[in-house]
Amino acid sequence: MQALKPSRLPARSGVGFKPEHFDAIIEAVQPLGFFEIHAENYMGKGGPPHARLSRLRQDYALSIHGVGLSIGSPEPLDEIHLDRLKALCDRYEPESFSEHLAWSSHEGTYYNDLLPLPYTEETLDRVVEHVDRVQERLGRRMLLENPATYLLFEESTIEETEFLALIARRTGCGLLLDVNNVFVSATNHRLDPAAYLDRFPLAAVGEIHLGGHAETTDDLGAPLLIDSHDRAVKDPVWALFETVIARRGPLPSLVEWDNDVPAWPVLLREAEAAETILSARYTPDAA
Amino acid sequence: MSRKPSATQSIGRFAAAVVGAPETVPPGLGAWNGGSVERRFGVYRNNVREGLIGALASRFPVTEKLVGRAFFSALAEAFLLSHPPRSPVLMEWGDALPAFIETFEPAATVPYLADVARLEAARSHAYHAADAAPVQPETLAALDSERLALVRLVSHPALAILRSPYPVLTIWERNTGDSEPAPLELGGGEDMLVTRPQMRVELRPLPPGAARFFEALEEGQSIGWAAEAAHAETPLFDLTLAFTLMIQSGAFSAVAEET
């Protein structure tokens, strides 16, 4: 068996790349460890998207983050899409590839959202098969991200943290811990986010995501948070991030801001806030 | 006797409901407080709907601007129900929108809308097309006129030629950017050329007969043959002008190998 390429982003802060920031980014050396892109936005043959990405790639580590593979689907993986991901990874040789514990396609229709799945023995086996297949096809150890969810499946029999731990153990994949998703889901299901983190298999984490969320309420007036990526990271999410970094030491940490994208200096300040928390934990060896 | 639903069934029901009528919430879902999950399910429904409408709007910004946000959303929603994306690569979704607009009754009062959408689809294809260097003027300048007439060209991957009975390029230009939609006085039809010689998509109006000239070249006909076809279409065809446009626009990437 061929050895899988490990995920090897620097343990620094990064941001999700937005084309409108390109000119500002290349003007100077940015104090960032890496950029992350959504794989599906770079599946055209050529043109400005690839020109910009190739330019960024000269100076920065790269994380390719898929949003459309539908790993959590009970249906077989889309091999054509897996071929596209393989081609993209071959073209840019990213330091990391990650995807989501979610489904986004069903019976041939693509829904363009990260939709939830029940956590059962049946779905566990299926996700494990899918992660195995992705890692085999890409020749890489992938990271799988915990979702933000808004409701629960009555048929679920396994806790999300246990589900992720079992996937990581059975496939050898790493995990992408989105601490905003932890806060959003914990609030939405009235769980203690700190307790969720206590149960989370932190040893498998290869990257952190930070992002902003919106606040609304459910049918009974209970808080309902939405993983909107359209504003600054909120204080309780920063607090969870500090907890994780205190336990695990510095990890590659990404700020996501995908909607109502701010000016570059605003996004950079968010990344610098993450870097401040990371650098407090740098040891002479790790720095 | 009840059988536990398999994940395939519960995800199938979820998928159907997430694009279904607003009041439909699939069974088997719950909230910690035991309340109705309508608003919670509505978050997914809204994400799917807004995400897909937004994806279309980003490919068809002038189409959206011409009819306004609300009208475009209704159009996009009808389109996504009948032509949902079949792939996660959304930059390729919506090529069927122009033809759909022609069948969309409420758009009948905006007869040029479908052709504006065709132009925007061509722009989007050109933007993402494979990179290729345009054929260099010297390559053709080196040939005498007899040889030149026999030359066939290889289309640049970004090339598109559009013809419309409406002044679609003028409409597009007046409504692009952040300005308010400009008032329209409908003139005659326009032919136009879409190219991307380097990293910028370029749009050009085509003079009479030039569309036929470019179409023939795109089909692999020789320059001489294409010029004759264009002359046959209209005596107004100006070969020198068309030839200059051909070079300036970067519509072709190479001289085809002689066979």
PDB file of all heavy atoms in Angstrom, chain A residues 6-9 36 63-66 71 95-101 131 134-135 140-146 172-177 204-208 252:
ATOM      1  N   PRO A   6       0.886  13.199   4.276  1.00  0.00           N
ATOM      2  CA  PRO A   6       0.260  13.752   5.478  1.00  0.00           C
ATOM      3  C   PRO A   6      -0.238  15.169   5.230  1.00  0.00           C
ATOM      4  O   PRO A   6       0.155  15.825   4.275  1.00  0.00           O
ATOM      5  CB  PRO A   6       1.404  13.754   6.492  1.00  0.00           C
ATOM      6  CG  PRO A   6       2.632  13.919   5.653  1.00  0.00           C
ATOM      7  CD  PRO A   6       2.356  13.210   4.347  1.00  0.00           C
ATOM      8  N   SER A   7      -1.113  15.629   6.130  1.00  0.00           N
ATOM      9  CA  SER A   7      -1.530  17.017   6.139  1.00  0.00           C
ATOM     10  C   SER A   7      -0.429  17.786   6.875  1.00  0.00           C
ATOM     11  O   SER A   7      -0.039  17.417   7.970  1.00  0.00           O
ATOM     12  CB  SER A   7      -2.866  17.116   6.893  1.00  0.00           C
ATOM     13  OG  SER A   7      -3.334  18.424   6.883  1.00  0.00           O
ATOM     14  N   ARG A   8       0.120  18.812   6.260  1.00  0.00           N
ATOM     15  CA  ARG A   8       1.299  19.465   6.857  1.00  0.00           C
ATOM     16  C   ARG A   8       1.280  20.979   6.701  1.00  0.00           C
ATOM     17  O   ARG A   8       2.257  21.597   6.275  1.00  0.00           O
ATOM     18  CB  ARG A   8       2.588  18.870   6.269  1.00  0.00           C
ATOM     19  CG  ARG A   8       2.563  18.869   4.750  1.00  0.00           C
ATOM     20  CD  ARG A   8       3.699  18.098   4.147  1.00  0.00           C
ATOM     21  NE  ARG A   8       3.487  17.932   2.730  1.00  0.00           N
ATOM     22  CZ  ARG A   8       3.715  18.867   1.808  1.00  0.00           C
ATOM     23  NH1 ARG A   8       4.225  20.016   2.137  1.00  0.00           N
ATOM     24  NH2 ARG A   8       3.465  18.646   0.534  1.00  0.00           N
ATOM     25  N   LEU A   9       0.152  21.592   7.028  1.00  0.00           N
ATOM     26  CA  LEU A   9       0.078  23.051   7.060  1.00  0.00           C
ATOM     27  C   LEU A   9       0.896  23.563   8.233  1.00  0.00           C
ATOM     28  O   LEU A   9       1.004  22.891   9.258  1.00  0.00           O
ATOM     29  CB  LEU A   9      -1.381  23.512   7.243  1.00  0.00           C
ATOM     30  CG  LEU A   9      -2.338  23.284   6.080  1.00  0.00           C
ATOM     31  CD1 LEU A   9      -3.768  23.548   6.531  1.00  0.00           C
ATOM     32  CD2 LEU A   9      -1.977  24.167   4.893  1.00  0.00           C
ATOM     33  N   GLU A  36      -6.617  29.174   2.333  1.00  0.00           N
ATOM     34  CA  GLU A  36      -7.487  28.032   2.024  1.00  0.00           C
ATOM     35  C   GLU A  36      -8.432  28.424   0.901  1.00  0.00           C
ATOM     36  O   GLU A  36      -8.905  29.557   0.841  1.00  0.00           O
ATOM     37  CB  GLU A  36      -8.285  27.631   3.280  1.00  0.00           C
ATOM     38  CG  GLU A  36      -9.079  26.339   3.112  1.00  0.00           C
ATOM     39  CD  GLU A  36      -9.496  25.746   4.470  1.00  0.00           C
ATOM     40  OE1 GLU A  36      -8.624  25.181   5.167  1.00  0.00           O
ATOM     41  OE2 GLU A  36     -10.682  25.861   4.831  1.00  0.00           O
ATOM     42  N   SER A  63      -4.289  25.168   1.557  1.00  0.00           N
ATOM     43  CA  SER A  63      -5.231  24.147   2.000  1.00  0.00           C
ATOM     44  C   SER A  63      -6.372  24.094   0.996  1.00  0.00           C
ATOM     45  O   SER A  63      -7.002  25.113   0.713  1.00  0.00           O
ATOM     46  CB  SER A  63      -5.761  24.523   3.390  1.00  0.00           C
ATOM     47  OG  SER A  63      -6.922  23.764   3.696  1.00  0.00           O
ATOM     48  N   ILE A  64      -6.628  22.937   0.429  1.00  0.00           N
ATOM     49  CA  ILE A  64      -7.776  22.771  -0.475  1.00  0.00           C
ATOM     50  C   ILE A  64      -8.906  22.143   0.324  1.00  0.00           C
ATOM     51  O   ILE A  64      -8.754  21.070   0.912  1.00  0.00           O
ATOM     52  CB  ILE A  64      -7.412  21.927  -1.710  1.00  0.00           C
ATOM     53  CG1 ILE A  64      -6.388  22.691  -2.572  1.00  0.00           C
ATOM     54  CG2 ILE A  64      -8.663  21.601  -2.528  1.00  0.00           C
ATOM     55  CD1 ILE A  64      -6.054  22.027  -3.901  1.00  0.00           C
ATOM     56  N   HIS A  65     -10.021  22.869   0.366  1.00  0.00           N
ATOM     57  CA  HIS A  65     -11.146  22.503   1.215  1.00  0.00           C
ATOM     58  C   HIS A  65     -12.345  22.215   0.308  1.00  0.00           C
ATOM     59  O   HIS A  65     -12.862  23.135  -0.334  1.00  0.00           O
ATOM     60  CB  HIS A  65     -11.418  23.699   2.146  1.00  0.00           C
ATOM     61  CG  HIS A  65     -12.398  23.430   3.236  1.00  0.00           C
ATOM     62  ND1 HIS A  65     -12.283  22.364   4.100  1.00  0.00           N
ATOM     63  CD2 HIS A  65     -13.524  24.104   3.606  1.00  0.00           C
ATOM     64  CE1 HIS A  65     -13.289  22.406   4.979  1.00  0.00           C
ATOM     65  NE2 HIS A  65     -14.056  23.440   4.687  1.00  0.00           N
ATOM     66  N   GLY A  66     -12.744  20.963   0.236  1.00  0.00           N
ATOM     67  CA  GLY A  66     -13.871  20.613  -0.623  1.00  0.00           C
ATOM     68  C   GLY A  66     -15.195  20.907   0.059  1.00  0.00           C
ATOM     69  O   GLY A  66     -15.319  20.758   1.268  1.00  0.00           O
ATOM     70  N   ILE A  71     -19.531  13.378   1.273  1.00  0.00           N
ATOM     71  CA  ILE A  71     -18.964  12.200   1.949  1.00  0.00           C
ATOM     72  C   ILE A  71     -19.974  11.545   2.895  1.00  0.00           C
ATOM     73  O   ILE A  71     -19.957  10.341   3.104  1.00  0.00           O
ATOM     74  CB  ILE A  71     -17.672  12.621   2.710  1.00  0.00           C
ATOM     75  CG1 ILE A  71     -16.532  12.783   1.721  1.00  0.00           C
ATOM     76  CG2 ILE A  71     -17.298  11.606   3.793  1.00  0.00           C
ATOM     77  CD1 ILE A  71     -15.216  13.221   2.330  1.00  0.00           C
ATOM     78  N   GLU A  95      -0.796  21.575   0.895  1.00  0.00           N
ATOM     79  CA  GLU A  95      -0.299  21.006   2.148  1.00  0.00           C
ATOM     80  C   GLU A  95      -1.397  20.212   2.860  1.00  0.00           C
ATOM     81  O   GLU A  95      -1.119  19.405   3.736  1.00  0.00           O
ATOM     82  CB  GLU A  95       0.215  22.108   3.072  1.00  0.00           C
ATOM     83  CG  GLU A  95       1.648  22.531   2.777  1.00  0.00           C
ATOM     84  CD  GLU A  95       1.786  23.379   1.517  1.00  0.00           C
ATOM     85  OE1 GLU A  95       0.758  23.785   0.940  1.00  0.00           O
ATOM     86  OE2 GLU A  95       2.930  23.637   1.088  1.00  0.00           O
ATOM     87  N   SER A  96      -2.660  20.492   2.508  1.00  0.00           N
ATOM     88  CA  SER A  96      -3.751  19.785   3.175  1.00  0.00           C
ATOM     89  C   SER A  96      -4.972  19.703   2.271  1.00  0.00           C
ATOM     90  O   SER A  96      -5.227  20.608   1.468  1.00  0.00           O
ATOM     91  CB  SER A  96      -4.134  20.530   4.465  1.00  0.00           C
ATOM     92  OG  SER A  96      -5.228  19.895   5.100  1.00  0.00           O
ATOM     93  N   PHE A  97      -5.703  18.594   2.386  1.00  0.00           N
ATOM     94  CA  PHE A  97      -7.022  18.491   1.756  1.00  0.00           C
ATOM     95  C   PHE A  97      -8.031  18.130   2.837  1.00  0.00           C
ATOM     96  O   PHE A  97      -7.794  17.245   3.656  1.00  0.00           O
ATOM     97  CB  PHE A  97      -7.048  17.411   0.660  1.00  0.00           C
ATOM     98  CG  PHE A  97      -8.449  17.182   0.143  1.00  0.00           C
ATOM     99  CD1 PHE A  97      -9.032  18.086  -0.743  1.00  0.00           C
ATOM    100  CD2 PHE A  97      -9.217  16.110   0.589  1.00  0.00           C
ATOM    101  CE1 PHE A  97     -10.345  17.916  -1.183  1.00  0.00           C
ATOM    102  CE2 PHE A  97     -10.523  15.936   0.156  1.00  0.00           C
ATOM    103  CZ  PHE A  97     -11.078  16.841  -0.736  1.00  0.00           C
ATOM    104  N   SER A  98      -9.156  18.840   2.824  1.00  0.00           N
ATOM    105  CA  SER A  98     -10.190  18.553   3.835  1.00  0.00           C
ATOM    106  C   SER A  98     -11.580  18.574   3.204  1.00  0.00           C
ATOM    107  O   SER A  98     -11.792  19.150   2.138  1.00  0.00           O
ATOM    108  CB  SER A  98     -10.099  19.573   4.975  1.00  0.00           C
ATOM    109  OG  SER A  98     -10.073  20.894   4.473  1.00  0.00           O
ATOM    110  N   GLU A  99     -12.498  17.938   3.873  1.00  0.00           N
ATOM    111  CA  GLU A  99     -13.906  17.893   3.457  1.00  0.00           C
ATOM    112  C   GLU A  99     -14.790  17.797   4.707  1.00  0.00           C
ATOM    113  O   GLU A  99     -14.276  17.899   5.815  1.00  0.00           O
ATOM    114  CB  GLU A  99     -14.150  16.695   2.515  1.00  0.00           C
ATOM    115  CG  GLU A  99     -14.421  17.100   1.053  1.00  0.00           C
ATOM    116  CD  GLU A  99     -15.823  17.687   0.825  1.00  0.00           C
ATOM    117  OE1 GLU A  99     -16.646  17.730   1.771  1.00  0.00           O
ATOM    118  OE2 GLU A  99     -16.112  18.107  -0.327  1.00  0.00           O
ATOM    119  N   HIS A 100     -16.090  17.648   4.497  1.00  0.00           N
ATOM    120  CA  HIS A 100     -17.052  17.770   5.596  1.00  0.00           C
ATOM    121  C   HIS A 100     -17.782  16.469   5.923  1.00  0.00           C
ATOM    122  O   HIS A 100     -18.067  15.673   5.030  1.00  0.00           O
ATOM    123  CB  HIS A 100     -18.100  18.814   5.243  1.00  0.00           C
ATOM    124  CG  HIS A 100     -17.532  20.173   5.018  1.00  0.00           C
ATOM    125  ND1 HIS A 100     -16.997  20.549   3.807  1.00  0.00           N
ATOM    126  CD2 HIS A 100     -17.393  21.234   5.844  1.00  0.00           C
ATOM    127  CE1 HIS A 100     -16.556  21.785   3.898  1.00  0.00           C
ATOM    128  NE2 HIS A 100     -16.773  22.230   5.127  1.00  0.00           N
ATOM    129  N   LEU A 101     -18.145  16.334   7.197  1.00  0.00           N
ATOM    130  CA  LEU A 101     -19.061  15.278   7.606  1.00  0.00           C
ATOM    131  C   LEU A 101     -20.474  15.797   7.304  1.00  0.00           C
ATOM    132  O   LEU A 101     -21.128  16.407   8.153  1.00  0.00           O
ATOM    133  CB  LEU A 101     -18.909  14.965   9.101  1.00  0.00           C
ATOM    134  CG  LEU A 101     -19.879  13.894   9.629  1.00  0.00           C
ATOM    135  CD1 LEU A 101     -19.690  12.567   8.898  1.00  0.00           C
ATOM    136  CD2 LEU A 101     -19.712  13.699  11.129  1.00  0.00           C
ATOM    137  N   VAL A 131     -14.372   7.833   3.243  1.00  0.00           N
ATOM    138  CA  VAL A 131     -13.097   8.460   3.608  1.00  0.00           C
ATOM    139  C   VAL A 131     -11.931   7.584   3.125  1.00  0.00           C
ATOM    140  O   VAL A 131     -10.943   8.092   2.572  1.00  0.00           O
ATOM    141  CB  VAL A 131     -13.023   8.723   5.127  1.00  0.00           C
ATOM    142  CG1 VAL A 131     -11.619   9.163   5.539  1.00  0.00           C
ATOM    143  CG2 VAL A 131     -14.066   9.771   5.534  1.00  0.00           C
ATOM    144  N   VAL A 134     -11.575   8.234  -0.589  1.00  0.00           N
ATOM    145  CA  VAL A 134     -10.993   9.555  -0.888  1.00  0.00           C
ATOM    146  C   VAL A 134      -9.486   9.513  -0.658  1.00  0.00           C
ATOM    147  O   VAL A 134      -8.694   9.970  -1.490  1.00  0.00           O
ATOM    148  CB  VAL A 134     -11.634  10.659  -0.016  1.00  0.00           C
ATOM    149  CG1 VAL A 134     -10.920  11.992  -0.221  1.00  0.00           C
ATOM    150  CG2 VAL A 134     -13.118  10.808  -0.332  1.00  0.00           C
ATOM    151  N   GLN A 135      -9.094   8.946   0.475  1.00  0.00           N
ATOM    152  CA  GLN A 135      -7.659   8.922   0.817  1.00  0.00           C
ATOM    153  C   GLN A 135      -6.879   8.072  -0.175  1.00  0.00           C
ATOM    154  O   GLN A 135      -5.768   8.420  -0.584  1.00  0.00           O
ATOM    155  CB  GLN A 135      -7.466   8.419   2.251  1.00  0.00           C
ATOM    156  CG  GLN A 135      -8.095   9.377   3.258  1.00  0.00           C
ATOM    157  CD  GLN A 135      -7.679   9.100   4.700  1.00  0.00           C
ATOM    158  OE1 GLN A 135      -7.343  10.023   5.429  1.00  0.00           O
ATOM    159  NE2 GLN A 135      -7.721   7.855   5.129  1.00  0.00           N
ATOM    160  N   ARG A 140      -3.638  10.893  -0.161  1.00  0.00           N
ATOM    161  CA  ARG A 140      -3.413  11.845   0.926  1.00  0.00           C
ATOM    162  C   ARG A 140      -4.241  11.462   2.142  1.00  0.00           C
ATOM    163  O   ARG A 140      -5.354  10.979   2.003  1.00  0.00           O
ATOM    164  CB  ARG A 140      -3.898  13.248   0.526  1.00  0.00           C
ATOM    165  CG  ARG A 140      -3.131  13.862  -0.558  1.00  0.00           C
ATOM    166  CD  ARG A 140      -3.802  15.107  -1.081  1.00  0.00           C
ATOM    167  NE  ARG A 140      -2.979  15.637  -2.147  1.00  0.00           N
ATOM    168  CZ  ARG A 140      -1.943  16.449  -1.960  1.00  0.00           C
ATOM    169  NH1 ARG A 140      -1.657  16.883  -0.753  1.00  0.00           N
ATOM    170  NH2 ARG A 140      -1.198  16.841  -2.959  1.00  0.00           N
ATOM    171  N   ARG A 141      -3.681  11.800   3.303  1.00  0.00           N
ATOM    172  CA  ARG A 141      -4.463  11.709   4.529  1.00  0.00           C
ATOM    173  C   ARG A 141      -5.333  12.952   4.571  1.00  0.00           C
ATOM    174  O   ARG A 141      -4.828  14.072   4.533  1.00  0.00           O
ATOM    175  CB  ARG A 141      -3.532  11.676   5.735  1.00  0.00           C
ATOM    176  CG  ARG A 141      -4.257  11.579   7.069  1.00  0.00           C
ATOM    177  CD  ARG A 141      -3.234  11.562   8.211  1.00  0.00           C
ATOM    178  NE  ARG A 141      -3.871  11.314   9.487  1.00  0.00           N
ATOM    179  CZ  ARG A 141      -3.873  12.175  10.503  1.00  0.00           C
ATOM    180  NH1 ARG A 141      -3.299  13.364  10.381  1.00  0.00           N
ATOM    181  NH2 ARG A 141      -4.451  11.858  11.643  1.00  0.00           N
ATOM    182  N   MET A 142      -6.645  12.794   4.577  1.00  0.00           N
ATOM    183  CA  MET A 142      -7.531  13.953   4.563  1.00  0.00           C
ATOM    184  C   MET A 142      -7.943  14.340   5.984  1.00  0.00           C
ATOM    185  O   MET A 142      -7.742  13.580   6.939  1.00  0.00           O
ATOM    186  CB  MET A 142      -8.785  13.693   3.717  1.00  0.00           C
ATOM    187  CG  MET A 142      -9.707  12.622   4.260  1.00  0.00           C
ATOM    188  SD  MET A 142     -11.338  12.658   3.421  1.00  0.00           S
ATOM    189  CE  MET A 142     -12.034  14.169   4.134  1.00  0.00           C
ATOM    190  N   LEU A 143      -8.486  15.547   6.088  1.00  0.00           N
ATOM    191  CA  LEU A 143      -9.085  16.000   7.338  1.00  0.00           C
ATOM    192  C   LEU A 143     -10.597  16.071   7.137  1.00  0.00           C
ATOM    193  O   LEU A 143     -11.070  16.550   6.103  1.00  0.00           O
ATOM    194  CB  LEU A 143      -8.569  17.387   7.732  1.00  0.00           C
ATOM    195  CG  LEU A 143      -7.052  17.586   7.809  1.00  0.00           C
ATOM    196  CD1 LEU A 143      -6.718  19.046   8.154  1.00  0.00           C
ATOM    197  CD2 LEU A 143      -6.438  16.655   8.852  1.00  0.00           C
ATOM    198  N   LEU A 144     -11.357  15.623   8.112  1.00  0.00           N
ATOM    199  CA  LEU A 144     -12.824  15.645   8.038  1.00  0.00           C
ATOM    200  C   LEU A 144     -13.355  16.635   9.076  1.00  0.00           C
ATOM    201  O   LEU A 144     -12.958  16.586  10.242  1.00  0.00           O
ATOM    202  CB  LEU A 144     -13.371  14.241   8.309  1.00  0.00           C
ATOM    203  CG  LEU A 144     -14.872  14.046   8.083  1.00  0.00           C
ATOM    204  CD1 LEU A 144     -15.222  14.151   6.600  1.00  0.00           C
ATOM    205  CD2 LEU A 144     -15.314  12.684   8.628  1.00  0.00           C
ATOM    206  N   GLU A 145     -14.240  17.532   8.627  1.00  0.00           N
ATOM    207  CA  GLU A 145     -14.713  18.626   9.490  1.00  0.00           C
ATOM    208  C   GLU A 145     -16.040  18.303  10.173  1.00  0.00           C
ATOM    209  O   GLU A 145     -16.981  17.814   9.542  1.00  0.00           O
ATOM    210  CB  GLU A 145     -14.863  19.904   8.642  1.00  0.00           C
ATOM    211  CG  GLU A 145     -15.385  21.090   9.451  1.00  0.00           C
ATOM    212  CD  GLU A 145     -15.420  22.392   8.659  1.00  0.00           C
ATOM    213  OE1 GLU A 145     -14.775  22.470   7.589  1.00  0.00           O
ATOM    214  OE2 GLU A 145     -16.109  23.323   9.106  1.00  0.00           O
ATOM    215  N   ASN A 146     -16.107  18.653  11.460  1.00  0.00           N
ATOM    216  CA  ASN A 146     -17.360  18.537  12.216  1.00  0.00           C
ATOM    217  C   ASN A 146     -18.362  19.576  11.715  1.00  0.00           C
ATOM    218  O   ASN A 146     -17.988  20.709  11.420  1.00  0.00           O
ATOM    219  CB  ASN A 146     -17.101  18.760  13.714  1.00  0.00           C
ATOM    220  CG  ASN A 146     -16.518  20.139  13.994  1.00  0.00           C
ATOM    221  OD1 ASN A 146     -15.426  20.458  13.523  1.00  0.00           O
ATOM    222  ND2 ASN A 146     -17.239  20.958  14.755  1.00  0.00           N
ATOM    223  N   GLY A 172      -7.850   6.361   9.764  1.00  0.00           N
ATOM    224  CA  GLY A 172      -6.579   7.060   9.912  1.00  0.00           C
ATOM    225  C   GLY A 172      -6.642   8.504   9.460  1.00  0.00           C
ATOM    226  O   GLY A 172      -5.619   9.195   9.424  1.00  0.00           O
ATOM    227  N   CYS A 173      -7.827   9.009   9.088  1.00  0.00           N
ATOM    228  CA  CYS A 173      -7.923  10.415   8.663  1.00  0.00           C
ATOM    229  C   CYS A 173      -7.726  11.339   9.857  1.00  0.00           C
ATOM    230  O   CYS A 173      -7.870  10.925  11.011  1.00  0.00           O
ATOM    231  CB  CYS A 173      -9.266  10.704   7.984  1.00  0.00           C
ATOM    232  SG  CYS A 173     -10.664  10.957   9.101  1.00  0.00           S
ATOM    233  N   GLY A 174      -7.391  12.585   9.578  1.00  0.00           N
ATOM    234  CA  GLY A 174      -7.346  13.596  10.612  1.00  0.00           C
ATOM    235  C   GLY A 174      -8.685  14.304  10.683  1.00  0.00           C
ATOM    236  O   GLY A 174      -9.590  14.051   9.876  1.00  0.00           O
ATOM    237  N   LEU A 175      -8.829  15.180  11.659  1.00  0.00           N
ATOM    238  CA  LEU A 175     -10.074  15.934  11.793  1.00  0.00           C
ATOM    239  C   LEU A 175      -9.788  17.419  11.661  1.00  0.00           C
ATOM    240  O   LEU A 175      -8.709  17.903  12.032  1.00  0.00           O
ATOM    241  CB  LEU A 175     -10.737  15.635  13.137  1.00  0.00           C
ATOM    242  CG  LEU A 175     -11.134  14.163  13.346  1.00  0.00           C
ATOM    243  CD1 LEU A 175     -11.663  13.959  14.759  1.00  0.00           C
ATOM    244  CD2 LEU A 175     -12.156  13.698  12.313  1.00  0.00           C
ATOM    245  N   LEU A 176     -10.771  18.116  11.113  1.00  0.00           N
ATOM    246  CA  LEU A 176     -10.714  19.568  11.056  1.00  0.00           C
ATOM    247  C   LEU A 176     -11.733  20.033  12.093  1.00  0.00           C
ATOM    248  O   LEU A 176     -12.938  19.767  11.931  1.00  0.00           O
ATOM    249  CB  LEU A 176     -11.075  20.057   9.649  1.00  0.00           C
ATOM    250  CG  LEU A 176     -10.748  21.514   9.307  1.00  0.00           C
ATOM    251  CD1 LEU A 176     -10.926  21.755   7.812  1.00  0.00           C
ATOM    252  CD2 LEU A 176     -11.576  22.512  10.078  1.00  0.00           C
ATOM    253  N   LEU A 177     -11.246  20.654  13.143  1.00  0.00           N
ATOM    254  CA  LEU A 177     -12.146  21.068  14.221  1.00  0.00           C
ATOM    255  C   LEU A 177     -12.589  22.506  13.980  1.00  0.00           C
ATOM    256  O   LEU A 177     -11.792  23.440  14.100  1.00  0.00           O
ATOM    257  CB  LEU A 177     -11.436  20.939  15.572  1.00  0.00           C
ATOM    258  CG  LEU A 177     -12.191  21.488  16.795  1.00  0.00           C
ATOM    259  CD1 LEU A 177     -13.546  20.799  16.989  1.00  0.00           C
ATOM    260  CD2 LEU A 177     -11.345  21.328  18.065  1.00  0.00           C
ATOM    261  N   ALA A 204      -6.479  13.950  17.040  1.00  0.00           N
ATOM    262  CA  ALA A 204      -6.571  13.747  15.582  1.00  0.00           C
ATOM    263  C   ALA A 204      -6.694  15.064  14.816  1.00  0.00           C
ATOM    264  O   ALA A 204      -6.709  15.067  13.585  1.00  0.00           O
ATOM    265  CB  ALA A 204      -7.772  12.857  15.258  1.00  0.00           C
ATOM    266  N   VAL A 205      -6.785  16.180  15.546  1.00  0.00           N
ATOM    267  CA  VAL A 205      -7.064  17.457  14.867  1.00  0.00           C
ATOM    268  C   VAL A 205      -5.826  17.958  14.114  1.00  0.00           C
ATOM    269  O   VAL A 205      -4.747  18.082  14.689  1.00  0.00           O
ATOM    270  CB  VAL A 205      -7.547  18.522  15.878  1.00  0.00           C
ATOM    271  CG1 VAL A 205      -7.673  19.891  15.199  1.00  0.00           C
ATOM    272  CG2 VAL A 205      -8.890  18.108  16.480  1.00  0.00           C
ATOM    273  N   GLY A 206      -6.023  18.274  12.830  1.00  0.00           N
ATOM    274  CA  GLY A 206      -4.928  18.782  12.010  1.00  0.00           C
ATOM    275  C   GLY A 206      -5.116  20.230  11.592  1.00  0.00           C
ATOM    276  O   GLY A 206      -4.233  20.842  11.002  1.00  0.00           O
ATOM    277  N   GLU A 207      -6.300  20.779  11.845  1.00  0.00           N
ATOM    278  CA  GLU A 207      -6.580  22.168  11.493  1.00  0.00           C
ATOM    279  C   GLU A 207      -7.793  22.638  12.286  1.00  0.00           C
ATOM    280  O   GLU A 207      -8.666  21.843  12.637  1.00  0.00           O
ATOM    281  CB  GLU A 207      -6.868  22.301   9.979  1.00  0.00           C
ATOM    282  CG  GLU A 207      -7.059  23.746   9.514  1.00  0.00           C
ATOM    283  CD  GLU A 207      -7.490  23.858   8.041  1.00  0.00           C
ATOM    284  OE1 GLU A 207      -7.337  22.890   7.279  1.00  0.00           O
ATOM    285  OE2 GLU A 207      -8.012  24.930   7.684  1.00  0.00           O
ATOM    286  N   ILE A 208      -7.801  23.956  12.525  1.00  0.00           N
ATOM    287  CA  ILE A 208      -8.939  24.588  13.207  1.00  0.00           C
ATOM    288  C   ILE A 208      -9.615  25.559  12.242  1.00  0.00           C
ATOM    289  O   ILE A 208      -8.929  26.234  11.470  1.00  0.00           O
ATOM    290  CB  ILE A 208      -8.445  25.423  14.425  1.00  0.00           C
ATOM    291  CG1 ILE A 208      -7.640  24.565  15.397  1.00  0.00           C
ATOM    292  CG2 ILE A 208      -9.611  26.120  15.109  1.00  0.00           C
ATOM    293  CD1 ILE A 208      -8.437  23.777  16.364  1.00  0.00           C
ATOM    294  N   PRO A 252      -2.633  24.715  12.739  1.00  0.00           N
ATOM    295  CA  PRO A 252      -3.045  25.578  11.617  1.00  0.00           C
ATOM    296  C   PRO A 252      -4.475  26.056  11.878  1.00  0.00           C
ATOM    297  O   PRO A 252      -5.362  25.235  12.131  1.00  0.00           O
ATOM    298  CB  PRO A 252      -3.001  24.624  10.413  1.00  0.00           C
ATOM    299  CG  PRO A 252      -2.161  23.467  10.844  1.00  0.00           C
ATOM    300  CD  PRO A 252      -2.286  23.354  12.329  1.00  0.00           C
TER     301      PRO A 252
END
